[in-house]
């Protein structure tokens, strides 16, 4: 790719999707604004691929804990090419493809980011492929290996296994030698069996009994994105030394309870269980945990951990251990349709919904 660093003070016009308040998917606004040239330590990235995640569904309802005040640009992660860099940043970054976790701001054609947040995408991996594993693959890898520490021969249960995180959890667990049971819609079961998953209908009135039929002694780990009442069932399905990892409270998406109270209720349950005289473990996973304040040693350690783990996940993708599961691609300006599909119970395809600026 050609090096095209912008002149100092130059601006770039970016198209952005703005969330103006608590709106339906049709309420997102597409606006244009000028971005300044990157300042010291920053890089201007032309976004090639971003995506829809659960976070945006929660944010448009005002139910994502810690989200910014309206209006703001959503977008949890991105993949793109560095177009220019600010003072103090290595110019060798220009023209190269990188991924970044942003939490917000990625639904745009161009963004200015701290260069230290960029993680190189290896040659041979496309932007859309890399996007499917940036936050989802990182989340799945860290939960599986750093928290649950799943080993060969163990059995894990993945709730919502057909989703972006779920499909990667299944692939990573199978690669680690574990057996995978997963809940999903029956229309997705055939595709899941091809991934080596033993599927269970998530709408079955007695999901726990179906799981027990497959794992009479319990499962070694449960990855629960639902939160709420689901975590009690998940905890009961564990073996005597099993681990429950809750990483979202999707079941409370349309709840009227203040989001902080819903979150604290889950944390209280998980904490209480860890005080019981058992060898089970329960925790809430947040990929941003331990991020620290900008400029702190804690933030630098967080960045190093992200870079190490995501680079490893990218390597698995490049080597064919992981397969990018893309449920659909939409232009960035058609984000309403992408969001509606993401929130639809009628989805038949596995994986992540990608937005292409």
């Amino acid at each position: 790719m050609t090096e095209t660093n912008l002149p100092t003070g130059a601006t770039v016009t970016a198209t952005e999707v703005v969330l103006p308040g608590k709106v339906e998917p049709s309420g997102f606004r597409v606006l244009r604004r000028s971005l300044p040239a990157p300042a010291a330590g920053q890089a201007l990235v032309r976004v090639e691929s971003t995506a829809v995640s659960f976070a945006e569904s929660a944010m448009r309802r005002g139910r994502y804990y810690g989200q910014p005040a309206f209006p703001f640009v959503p977008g949890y992660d991105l993949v793109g090419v560095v177009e220019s860099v600010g003072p103090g940043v290595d110019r060798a970054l220009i023209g190269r493809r990188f991924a970044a976790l942003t939490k917000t701001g990625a639904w745009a054609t161009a963004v200015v980011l701290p260069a230290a947040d960029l993680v190189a995408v290896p040659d041979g991996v496309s932007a859309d492929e890399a996007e499917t594993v940036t936050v989802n693959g990182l989340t799945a890898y860290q939960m599986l290996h750093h928290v649950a520490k799943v080993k060969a021969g163990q059995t894990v249960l993945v709730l919502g296994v057909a989703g972006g995180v779920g499909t990667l959890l299944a692939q990573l667990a199978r690669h680690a030698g574990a057996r995978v049971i997963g809940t999903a819609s029956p229309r997705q079961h055939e595709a899941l069996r091809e991934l080596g998953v033993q599927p269970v209908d998530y709408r079955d009135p007695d999901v726990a009994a179906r799981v027990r039929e497959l794992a009479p002694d319990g499962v070694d780990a449960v990855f629960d994105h639902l939160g709420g009442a689901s975590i009690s069932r998940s905890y009961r399905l564990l073996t005597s030394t099993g681990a429950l990892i809750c990483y979202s409270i999707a079941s409370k998406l349309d709840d009227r309870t203040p989001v902080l109270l819903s979150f604290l209720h889950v944390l209280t349950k998980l904490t209480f269980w860890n005080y019981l005289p058992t060898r089970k473990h329960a925790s809430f996973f947040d990929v941003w945990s331990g991020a620290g304040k900008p400029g702190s040693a804690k933030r630098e350690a967080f960045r190093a951990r992200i870079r190490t783990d995501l680079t490893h996940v990218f390597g698995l993708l490049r080597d064919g251990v992981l397969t990018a599961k893309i449920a659909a691609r939409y232009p960035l300006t058609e984000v309403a349709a992408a969001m509606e599909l993401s929130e639809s119970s009628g989805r038949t395809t596995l994986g992540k919904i990608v937005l292409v600026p």
Side-chain angles (χ1 to χ4, degrees):
M1 298 180 183
T2 305
E3 183 174 314
T4 57
N5 203 45
L6 296 173
T8 303
T11 60
V12 166
T13 300
T15 299
E16 298 177 326
V17 174
V18 176
L19 179 57
K22 297 179 183 180
V23 296
E24 294 300 311
S26 59
F28 287 99
R29 298 175 184 169
V30 178
L31 304 176
R32 290 171 64 82
R33 73 179 180 100
S34 294
L35 302 178
Q42 294 182 329
L44 174 69
V45 179
R46 283 285 184 182
V47 181
E48 295 179 290
S49 187
T50 181
V52 177
S53 68
F54 168 77
E56 287 84 41
S57 293
M59 287 178 186
R60 76 169 183 81
R61 294 168 168 84
R63 294 194 60 77
Y64 189 88
Y65 182 64
Q67 70 184 71
F70 298 117
F72 64 91
V73 177
Y76 215 86
D77 60 351
L78 62 84
V79 175
V81 174
V82 172
E83 186 166 285
S84 62
V85 296
V89 179
D90 187 354
R91 289 176 59 83
L93 271 61
I94 297 171
R96 295 174 57 197
R97 178 173 288 152
F98 292 89
L101 272 69
T102 55
K103 190 178 284 189
T104 58
W107 285 2
T109 56
V111 296
V112 175
L113 298 172
D117 288 344
L118 302 177
V119 179
V121 176
D123 292 340
V125 175
S126 73
D128 286 355
E129 289 173 330
E131 170 58 28
T132 66
V133 302
T134 297
V135 69
N136 287 355
L138 180 68
T139 297
Y141 180 83
Q142 291 187 338
M143 289 194 300
L144 193 80
H145 292 291
H146 296 339
V147 185
K149 299 179 180 178
V150 169
K151 300 179 180 64
Q154 292 187 323
T155 298
V156 304
L157 171 62
V158 180
L159 305 188
V161 71
V165 175
T167 53
L168 290 164
L169 270 169
Q171 291 181 73
L172 287 167
R174 293 290 294 152
H175 178 61
R179 176 188 176 210
V180 180
I181 301 170
T183 64
S185 168
R187 62 173 61 91
Q188 296 159 331
H189 286 190
E190 182 178 350
L192 288 167
R193 290 188 183 97
E194 293 176 1
L195 284 181
V197 176
Q198 292 179 277
V200 172
D201 186 351
Y202 80 100
R203 294 172 302 184
D204 191 299
D206 198 348
V207 169
R210 304 292 83 75
V211 173
R212 283 289 184 189
E213 290 171 2
L214 297 171
D217 297 325
V219 295
D220 297 287
V222 181
F223 300 94
D224 188 322
H225 70 301
L226 294 172
S230 175
I231 61 172
S232 295
R233 180 187 66 192
S234 294
Y235 188 77
R236 290 192 296 269
L237 286 169
L238 294 174
T239 64
S240 60
T241 58
L244 164 61
I245 299 91
C246 179
Y247 62 99
S248 183
I249 50 173
S251 64
K252 298 295 182 180
L253 192 60
D254 292 313
D255 201 278
R256 294 192 177 185
T257 305
V259 65
L260 178 59
L261 292 182
S262 297
F263 184 63
L264 290 176
H265 179 69
V266 168
L267 288 183
T268 300
K269 269 190 174 184
L270 299 175
T271 302
F272 171 75
W273 288 332
N274 286 333
Y275 277 104
L276 296 176
T278 73
R279 297 171 64 194
K280 296 181 182 181
H281 179 72
S283 61
F284 191 93
F285 178 83
D286 177 8
V287 74
W288 296 96
S289 178
K293 295 180 179 179
S296 67
K298 197 171 183 181
R299 174 61 63 88
E300 293 312 308
F302 171 79
R303 281 173 167 155
R305 185 167 65 251
I306 294 294
R307 189 174 300 109
T308 297
D309 289 344
L310 187 51
T311 298
H312 181 71
V313 171
F314 281 150
L316 294 175
L317 183 62
R318 177 199 58 210
D319 296 341
V321 173
L322 295 179
T323 301
K325 296 297 182 181
I326 299 174
R329 289 180 177 87
Y330 285 88
L332 180 66
T333 53
E334 294 181 17
V335 66
M339 180 67 74
E340 287 170 356
L341 177 63
S342 175
E343 297 178 7
S344 169
S345 61
R347 283 178 59 183
T348 58
T349 50
L350 309 182
K352 193 158 188 175
I353 297 172
V354 170
L355 297 173
V356 183

